[in-house]
Amino acid sequence: MRSAEERIRGDAFWRRFRIPHSALFGIVQGGTFEDLRRASAEATVEIGFDGYAIGGVSVGEPEPEMMRAVESSEPYLPRDKPRYAMGLGTPPQLIDLIARGVDMFDCVLPTRLARNVTNDSLLARTGEW
């Protein structure tokens, strides 16, 4: 719990260095531990950010555990602020995450797939559809 408390203090410290016309997001952590995710989410919301990121997912754990981590964080985040899932973004994940209340995503997967033309229905190298 000590590292979680240090991270929360760090978030409060960095809030003092806001850049005008930008949004500062607090990041919820806690691995696959529901109690740590809830505590992190509640403490991060207490600080008060422009939006909230769900971090520490998509780092090698099985997808069901990733989704449980999101489900352990999302209920404790304000509905009137953007919610951002860090590192998630396969098409099926997007649908699942939107249904869970997540608004924003980032993922290297779309770029990787486009670069490697892994979708057989899109024959980009030949210029045919």
Side-chain angles (χ1 to χ4, degrees), residues 86-109:
M86 301 177 73
L88 300 177
T90 68
Q93 287 174 345
L94 293 177
I95 301 301
D96 287 346
L97 291 165
I98 290 168
R100 288 173 167 83
V102 177
D103 305 301
M104 301 167 59
F105 317 91
D106 76 340
C107 186
V108 300
L109 186 62

Side-chain angles (χ1 to χ4, degrees), residues 70-81:
V70 171
E71 290 168 354
S72 298
S73 306
E74 182 276 328
Y76 306 102
L77 302 178
R79 296 205 175 271
D80 63 339
K81 303 278 183 165

Side-chain angles (χ1 to χ4, degrees), residues 1 3-13 15 18 24-30 35-55 72-74 76-78 81-84 86:
M1 194 65 159
S3 64
E5 291 169 358
E6 289 172 358
R7 188 200 59 80
I8 291 164
R9 279 196 304 276
D11 286 348
F13 173 80
R15 275 190 53 72
R18 298 187 61 98
L24 188 62
F25 279 61
I27 302 175
V28 175
Q29 298 285 353
D35 57 337
L36 294 180
R37 285 205 165 269
R38 179 179 181 167
S40 178
E42 290 174 342
T44 304
V45 168
E46 187 177 315
I47 293 169
F49 289 94
D50 302 311
Y52 297 90
I54 300 171
S72 298
S73 306
E74 182 276 328
Y76 306 102
L77 302 178
K81 303 278 183 165
R83 299 155 170 209
Y84 160 46
M86 301 177 73

